[in-house]
Amino acid sequence: MQNARLTLDPSFTVGRINRNLFGGFVEHLGRHVYDGIYEPGHATADDEGFRQDVIELVREMGVSTIRYPGGNFVSGFRWEDSVGPREDRPTRLDLAWHSTETNQVGMHEFASWLQKVGSDLMLAVNLGTRGTPEALELLEYSNLPKGTALSDQRMANGRPDPFDVKIWCLGNEMDGPWQLGHRSAEDYGKLAAITARAMRQLDPSIELVACGSSSAHMPTFGEWERVVLTHTYDVVDYISCHAYYEEKSGDLASFLASAVDMDSFIESVVATADHVKAVRGSSKTINISFDEWNVWYISRFENVDKIEGLDNWPVAPRLLEDCYSVADAVVFGNLMISLLKHADRVTSASLAQLVNVIAPILTEPGGPAWRQTTFFPFSITSKLAQGSVLELKLDAGTYQTSEYGVVPLVDAVATHDDETGATAVFLVNRSQTEETTVTIDITALNGFSTVDAQSLYDADVYAKNTLEEPERVTMRPNTSAKLDGGVVNITLPPVSWTAVSLA
């Protein structure tokens, strides 16, 4: 049995939680849109063809802002293809995922779906195969109320009011050689700055995200951020981060410590952004949009799923449909802890993705939709995390990993809302063999009479929810949680994620 101790004090905070931290991501990739959110022949389909069972699950997740339409897809996307009468929309090849895009779901349809799920639109513009003029045209179509050719075209296409998109991504992963239009940091930085200035001339109220590195392990990482921000610092609000994690070669110990890498990634990007700030003598602070993050078995995509062949361009193929285990969900929950721990600088984030494609929700054509193991940490954290993130004093044991060296056995974050008193603690036990008893000192907080705790764990850390067993894994009440005056004691099972709510 391991022991750990942490202390909560509302006098010491990291920062306020921005609800955009609980964002999602929908890309035209695989069965995400077609047979995922949109399946006209499904028994639950509404009059627009959207699956209502999926809508209900996305609502349950509490997703704030959804980034669209990519991802790699956006670097070859012509936004004009996705508006106007469906029968007039062209079918195009999607070079990013070697598929065929029918454009039957486009800007207007997706905006309608967002209204149904209660989320806001975050748009990415194509700076791969297109540039500043097309970005301006999309902005005019989306945000200008009326009186121009493009705003009037939007109205004629059935949308009298503007889409009123507030957050815009200036391209996607432009550091990646796999990306259409891939270019150097210098070239991208110049294009992003020109585009940002032009977009702000049209709509000064928007927020803009410059592309950071697509991974902390890219050979250009760090220098890419410095160069891009040197060009764009005055005209953007965010620099993006992307990170995916998977268990490799059976090294579960390292995989469970993936959040250590995310912490380091965030802190390195913050340091680089602040370096540029200092060099420029600026009073402005650039924050992070962590607009792609998840557990993704990318090695399986490369070795199994990848589509090739000049005569093979399927529509909505099964791609990236990872089935997540308990261990995956524990890591996933720990990544959410990392995002919250940096709430002062990570003020926007997008889980990549939402349905079927590396997603917390899976569907079967003509059949059910169900929650993956990763669904639970997102939905519960989105619900419970309110107010501000507290600075924690955490004392816990450690263990050795081959990837990250010596790391803590327990990771945690706490949130507190001064107005309502709502307080939550999120914990991970990375030990594969031992329970850990955590003592939470809450003497600096007053008035709690109840404690509720739920844990995600299983004797089989590779247990999954499948079509045959859609509820094999779920949250369990953790009855070990006891409130004793100014202290909460709780026992965490091995390889577990736990949410504690105090009232």
Side-chain angles (χ1 to χ4, degrees), residues 50 165 194 328 344 366 381 384 476:
F50 292 117
V165 182
I194 290 168
D328 295 326
D344 57 330
T381 305
L384 295 181
R476 307 185 192 184

Side-chain angles (χ1 to χ4, degrees), residues 110-263:
F110 189 69
S112 178
W113 183 78
L114 286 173
Q115 288 183 312
K116 297 171 194 281
V117 301
S119 301
D120 294 326
L121 178 59
M122 178 182 188
L123 267 182
V125 300
N126 179 356
L127 291 188
T129 57
R130 309 189 92 182
T132 305
E134 293 85 1
L136 280 173
E137 289 166 0
L138 178 55
L139 177 58
E140 180 183 326
Y141 185 93
S142 301
N143 283 17
L144 204 70
K146 61 181 179 179
T148 68
L150 289 171
S151 60
D152 289 348
Q153 182 185 347
R154 182 199 67 241
M155 297 173 72
N157 287 336
R159 177 84 182 198
D161 297 323
F163 292 108
D164 196 27
V165 182
K166 292 302 183 187
I167 306 179
W168 295 74
C169 302
L170 298 168
N172 176 75
E173 294 187 355
M174 299 309 300
D175 64 325
W178 58 85
Q179 201 74 208
L180 286 171
H182 160 66
R183 61 201 71 196
S184 68
E186 187 77 20
D187 289 344
Y188 168 71
K190 290 178 180 177
L191 175 60
I194 290 168
T195 305
R197 288 190 182 94
M199 293 177 73
R200 288 197 184 281
Q201 281 184 252
L202 198 163
D203 185 350
S205 71
I206 59 175
E207 295 181 87
L208 297 173
V209 184
C211 288
S213 294
S214 51
S215 164
H217 306 290
M218 292 293 289
T220 54
F221 171 61
E223 182 64 4
W224 173 276
E225 280 76 6
R226 185 193 69 80
V227 172
V228 168
L229 285 175
T230 296
H231 287 287
T232 63
Y233 200 93
D234 295 335
V235 289
V236 301
D237 304 280
Y238 302 93
I239 186 80
S240 72
C241 290
H242 291 182
Y244 296 100
Y245 299 94
E246 64 178 304
E247 182 180 344
K248 298 178 180 178
S249 304
D251 186 1
L252 180 58
S254 292
F255 179 51
L256 290 169
S258 295
V260 171
D261 182 77
M262 179 182 265
D263 289 336

